[in-house]
Amino acid sequence: MRSKLDKILEWVLAVLLGSMTLVVLWGVLTRYAFGSQSSWTDELARFFLIWVGILGAAYASGRNLHIAIDLLPQYLNPKNRRKLEIFIASLVVIFVTAVFIVGGIRYVYISFILGQASAALDISMGYIYLVFPIAGACIIYYRLNDLYHYLSTPNK
Amino acid sequence: MEITILVLAFVILIALRVPVAWSIGISGLLTILISVKTIPALTTVAQRVITGLDSFSLLAIPFFILAGHIMNKGGIAKRLIEFAKALVGSLPGGLAHVNIVAAMLFGAIAGSAGAAAAAIGSFMSDQMEDEGYDKNYGVAVNVTSATTGLLIPPSNIFIIYSLASGGVSIGALFLAGYIPGLLTGFMLMLVAYIWAKKKGYPTAQRSNFRTIAKSFIGAVPSLFLLIVIIGGIVAGIFTATEASSVAVLYCFILAFLYKEIKIKDIKPILVESSATIAIVMLLIAMSIAMSWVMSYENIPQTVTDALLSLSDNKIMVLVLINLILLFVGIFMDMTPAVLIFTPIFLPVVTALGIDPVHFGIIMVLNLCIGLCTPPVGAVLFIGVSVGKTSIQKVIKPLLPLFAAMLVSLILISLFPELSLWLPHFFGF
């Protein structure tokens, strides 16, 4: 399940980043070859960036790539280190639930209600911001999976 | 009160090994919860995080990262090293000079110091060991010289500074970075020279004109990219974002022609780059939210008043800010440091008549030193891991190189012309 989610995110990210590159290049090309830049390229590229940034953050979180400072854990015994890992994972779950899920869904909801749409493509901004709760759910899944792993392996 | 909670929460979380981006977000959220009701606070933080990423100029960062990843795989680093070898390989302690010059050239093409440390370090460390150099010294040289790439454009951190400062021209910042970047590089070479004399490191034979010419031709396609990017931005043909996307295309075609990457390598490169991009983007998003919390709580104004009440002497305030930033750089990564401290310090220095472009250079060079110090030295970690050694062992050879960077920082703080002459010359 976890590796399946990794695989899915990898494909989505590769496609998003690839398309983002092509879209901006297309914008450059139209500006020089045809004299006038298509108005939608800037906007679409920005949306791709939001998706790559936020969804990629979930992927990086699953692979534990986010930078952390390994100072204190060096001095802890394995038992306390395990406790610390459990504490960190729980803290991340609480923060992400609060900001990505509760705050994120409310912000998406407000964007839909206000009928906020993008200038060039006329996409409702709610769809763009939807990546926020989606990525939040992925991060929570990864951390809960870690927690399950910590709690189900016997304490050495 | 709010400052205390913010700083305390951040320091405790960081020390507990909570990832830096989450630490920034959590401490910002805690602070805003004191004065704003829960649900609106959560929604506003969510809004700040997500709209913080919605910016066309930020788009240059993922493209420079992607171009850097392609360059890493695409044999471009190798050719730059050959060229650097022909240029400075015959100086005493030649390989150290080669590393420094190659890092500056790499920095002139890619936007990040981490990519330079990884690409150049992985080629140089074995060679240096074979020729009898102290391995830890080699890593120390690689790590410090990689940071010159942040001053020599294109540079992602200047794009971030431009964003944080509310629109200082990216073109001006890029031009302003050249002389300070080269100066820092030469300072490091000076240390390498003295070190080689002391340890009796080998001096390679002077390369003849043919080798120089041959290696130069090998490096030309890579160097041409820098003319396209910087020339394009300075002449106003490209925006930084457009230039960065062209850089991706160019690096890709080059790597393809060099037969160093194949179609099946594209997906892994895109995935790896996405992860690197997302790590930076989450830091940016959280820092922007934090920066908003701070301005909501009036923290920049408080700091400005406090600083100006201590002294209204330009030099004194610069010294003070530099000391604070050196301290901050030890504990904080460069991206959040720039995003969080620019809005705090910029009003102070502009009030004293310091040019925002000049201050950007000072800030970045200052924080470069922090990138090479434990416990939070992103470039140090990369350098140590490609050099297969440990942080403890690298500290000693790092010290003289830090001294060189500090001298460079002092010169650049004291003489604004070093930064401003070039952008003024081009009419910025």
Side-chain angles (χ1 to χ4, degrees):
Chain A
M1 170 76 180
R2 183 170 180 151
S3 60
K4 222 176 232 165
L5 181 59
D6 282 342
K7 280 262 148 27
I8 295 171
L9 285 177
E10 281 178 11
W11 272 110
V12 175
L13 287 171
V15 170
L16 284 172
L17 183 57
S19 324
M20 185 169 105
T21 315
L22 294 178
V23 163
V24 174
L25 283 171
W26 178 250
V28 176
L29 185 78
T30 49
R31 195 145 81 84
Y32 291 103
F34 312 129
S36 68
Q37 187 175 6
S38 22
S39 56
W40 55 270
T41 52
D42 277 16
E43 201 175 274
L44 192 59
R46 271 177 17 233
F47 296 162
F48 279 138
L49 175 66
I50 296 175
W51 276 70
V52 169
I54 300 292
L55 215 51
Y59 174 71
S61 170
R63 283 181 44 195
N64 279 316
L65 293 174
H66 289 296
I67 310 157
I69 291 135
D70 243 329
L71 202 61
L72 177 71
Q74 293 173 6
Y75 305 105
L76 292 177
N77 61 36
K79 204 174 140 192
N80 285 330
R81 203 172 323 168
R82 212 178 80 123
K83 280 186 190 154
L84 182 65
E85 293 296 337
I86 292 172
F87 170 74
I88 295 171
S90 319
L91 200 62
V92 172
V93 169
I94 295 170
F95 177 74
V96 172
T97 309
V99 173
F100 282 55
I101 303 290
V102 178
I105 288 180
R106 238 181 80 94
Y107 188 52
V108 169
Y109 176 72
I110 292 172
S111 307
F112 275 125
I113 293 260
L114 293 179
Q116 213 186 337
S118 73
L121 291 161
D122 198 30
I123 300 173
S124 172
M125 291 306 282
Y127 289 114
I128 311 299
Y129 300 151
L130 208 54
V131 68
F132 214 53
I134 294 175
C138 295
I139 297 171
I140 292 167
Y141 166 74
Y142 282 129
R143 291 292 82 88
L144 288 181
N145 187 281
D146 284 352
L147 279 175
Y148 174 77
H149 184 77
Y150 288 131
L151 296 173
S152 61
T153 44
N155 210 338
K156 286 167 275 184
Chain B
M1 168 68 184
E2 280 84 6
I3 299 186
T4 322
I5 290 183
L6 191 80
V7 174
L8 214 62
F10 179 70
V11 171
I12 292 172
L13 290 169
I14 289 275
L16 288 176
R17 217 192 72 93
V18 177
V20 180
W22 300 132
S23 304
I24 295 173
I26 294 170
S27 45
L29 181 63
L30 284 178
T31 311
I32 199 74
L33 279 174
I34 302 171
S35 40
V36 179
K37 279 200 198 107
T38 311
I39 294 294
L42 295 181
T43 314
T44 316
V45 171
Q47 180 203 355
R48 292 288 152 179
V49 168
I50 201 155
T51 51
L53 291 184
D54 191 0
S55 141
F56 189 70
S57 59
L58 266 187
L59 266 170
I61 293 170
F63 291 139
F64 281 131
I65 289 175
L66 180 54
H69 274 257
I70 298 173
M71 283 170 64
N72 256 345
K73 293 239 157 65
I76 293 173
K78 206 161 64 191
R79 286 170 175 82
L80 291 177
I81 291 173
E82 286 308 315
F83 180 51
K85 231 180 225 170
L87 283 180
V88 293
S90 60
L91 290 172
L95 284 184
H97 297 288
V98 170
N99 194 322
I100 297 169
V101 171
M104 288 197 279
L105 289 172
F106 196 93
I109 302 177
S112 98
I120 310 283
S122 57
F123 279 106
M124 296 300 297
S125 62
D126 290 347
Q127 288 186 30
M128 283 180 129
E129 231 184 332
D130 290 348
E131 293 200 13
Y133 284 77
D134 173 12
K135 182 193 210 170
N136 300 309
Y137 164 67
V139 171
V141 168
N142 179 39
V143 165
T144 43
S145 60
T147 62
T148 59
L150 293 173
L151 291 162
I152 300 172
S155 167
N156 286 341
I157 199 70
F158 286 144
I159 297 166
I160 291 172
Y161 176 77
S162 163
L163 183 83
S165 62
V168 172
S169 150
I170 292 176
L173 287 165
F174 275 11
L175 283 170
Y178 271 115
I179 294 174
L182 293 177
L183 179 69
T184 310
F186 288 134
M187 288 291 170
L188 295 175
M189 285 174 79
L190 200 64
V191 173
Y193 183 86
I194 297 168
W195 192 288
K197 284 279 175 201
K198 233 173 89 185
K199 298 261 171 173
Y201 280 146
T203 304
Q205 224 179 2
R206 217 191 183 87
S207 32
N208 58 26
F209 181 72
R210 259 190 65 185
T211 1
I212 296 182
K214 215 181 124 199
S215 66
F216 178 67
I217 291 169
V220 157
S222 315
L223 294 176
F224 181 68
L225 179 62
L226 122 146
I227 299 172
V228 175
I229 295 178
I230 306 301
I233 296 172
V234 169
I237 301 171
F238 289 142
T239 63
T241 301
E242 290 173 337
S244 66
S245 72
V246 173
V248 171
L249 184 68
Y250 190 95
C251 286
F252 181 72
I253 293 173
L254 213 56
F256 211 69
L257 291 177
Y258 287 157
K259 293 193 177 27
E260 305 262 4
I261 63 174
K262 299 178 198 66
I263 295 289
K264 70 166 171 41
D265 297 326
I266 295 176
K267 192 203 152 206
I269 288 180
L270 285 173
V271 172
E272 285 313 307
S273 306
S274 303
T276 314
I277 292 163
I279 292 167
V280 179
M281 286 301 151
L282 188 68
L283 274 176
I284 292 177
M286 292 297 162
S287 305
I288 288 176
M290 161 83 103
S291 177
W292 172 80
V293 169
M294 297 212 290
S295 70
Y296 186 87
E297 304 288 356
N298 250 334
I299 292 176
Q301 192 56 47
T302 318
V303 175
T304 305
D305 293 346
L307 270 176
L308 289 179
S309 71
L310 280 175
S311 167
D312 55 5
N313 179 298
K314 209 160 145 175
I315 304 291
M316 275 310 294
V317 171
L318 264 186
V319 169
L320 217 58
I321 290 180
N322 264 315
L323 288 175
I324 298 173
L325 285 176
L326 280 173
F327 184 74
V328 165
I330 292 175
F331 296 101
M332 204 181 232
D333 198 34
M334 192 181 239
T335 303
V338 167
L339 283 165
I340 292 169
F341 287 92
T342 303
I344 295 181
F345 289 143
L346 195 61
V348 186
V349 297
T350 41
L352 293 170
I354 294 163
D355 192 293
V357 172
H358 179 209
F359 184 66
I361 306 292
I362 295 175
M363 189 171 201
V364 169
L365 175 55
N366 183 311
L367 293 170
C368 279
I369 299 173
L371 284 180
C372 313
T373 60
V376 195
V379 180
L380 177 66
F381 296 154
I382 295 171
V384 163
S385 88
V386 292
K388 297 184 196 69
T389 175
S390 74
I391 291 176
Q392 283 83 355
K393 287 183 187 151
V394 185
I395 295 295
K396 221 181 123 197
L398 268 174
L399 293 175
L401 297 161
F402 282 154
M405 291 174 86
L406 270 178
V407 171
S408 179
L409 175 63
I410 293 168
L411 291 175
I412 281 151
S413 300
L414 287 180
F415 302 105
E417 298 81 11
L418 288 172
S419 314
L420 298 177
W421 180 77
L422 208 54
H424 284 171
F425 182 80
F426 280 96
F428 279 98

